[in-house]
């Protein structure tokens, strides 16, 4: 993350953990709506990553390659929506349940294609 100039770095504070770059990039590139609703979701995600790399060319390739896996981990471990369903259903619970089902479908699709996703991300990370 040496080339990213964030407010944290300008303030002289230590650089964020590389996991945060993978987390941020993965959540943007592999948003559940993209993964489930876009037939060519891998290319869409990798194109977004490529654009991100144009502005942040010094990101470590390992962070870029890991962003799909980190997005998958976040989808699989977040209980957002599930907790509300069982503990305190709200006014828009049906919408929240629909969002949770979309995230579940995205996690399944991302898991099934994880090898392809990581290969495509690795190519993008090394061809800048």
């Amino acid at each position: 993350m040496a080339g990213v100039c964030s407010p944290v770095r300008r303030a002289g504070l230590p650089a964020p953990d590389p996991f945060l770059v993978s987390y941020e990039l993965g959540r943007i590139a592999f948003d559940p709506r993209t993964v489930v609703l876009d037939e060519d979701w891998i290319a869409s995600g990798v194109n977004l990553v490529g654009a991100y790399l144009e502005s942040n060319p010094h990101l470590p390739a390992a962070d870029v390659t890991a962003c799909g896996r980190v997005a998958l981990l976040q989808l699989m471990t977040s209980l957002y929506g599930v907790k509300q369903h069982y503990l305190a259903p709200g006014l828009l619970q049906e919408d929240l349940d629909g969002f949770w089902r979309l995230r579940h479908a995205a996690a399944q699709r991302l898991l099934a294609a994880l090898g392809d996703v990581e290969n495509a991300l690795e190519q993008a990370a090394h061809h800048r």
Side-chain angles (χ1 to χ4, degrees):
M1 204 159 122
V4 177
C5 190
S6 71
V8 171
R9 301 219 51 207
R10 285 192 297 265
L13 299 172
D17 186 341
F19 176 80
L20 296 177
V21 172
S22 295
Y23 179 79
E24 175 185 62
L25 196 51
R27 288 203 41 184
I28 297 167
F30 300 105
D31 179 82
R33 291 165 292 234
T34 301
V35 174
V36 174
L37 304 175
D38 184 346
E39 198 168 305
D40 202 12
W41 62 275
I42 295 175
S44 295
V46 172
N47 286 339
L48 187 140
V49 168
Y52 191 93
L53 289 173
E54 286 178 17
S55 295
N56 301 283
H58 302 294
L59 290 178
D63 292 354
V64 174
T65 303
C67 77
R69 184 174 296 261
V70 171
L72 174 62
L73 289 170
Q74 191 277 330
L75 286 170
M76 293 175 66
T77 59
S78 173
L79 295 178
Y80 176 73
V82 177
K83 281 184 177 180
Q84 289 79 355
H85 180 86
Y86 292 105
L87 300 178
L91 294 175
L92 302 173
Q93 190 59 49
E94 189 174 316
D95 290 340
L96 191 54
D97 290 349
F99 180 68
W100 187 86
R101 286 189 296 274
L102 182 73
R103 289 182 51 209
H104 179 74
Q108 287 180 314
R109 197 165 192 194
L110 194 49
L111 180 61
L114 189 58
D116 293 336
V117 169
E118 289 182 329
N119 287 337
L121 289 168
E122 185 174 21
Q123 287 179 2
H126 287 97
H127 292 99
R128 28 182 157 158

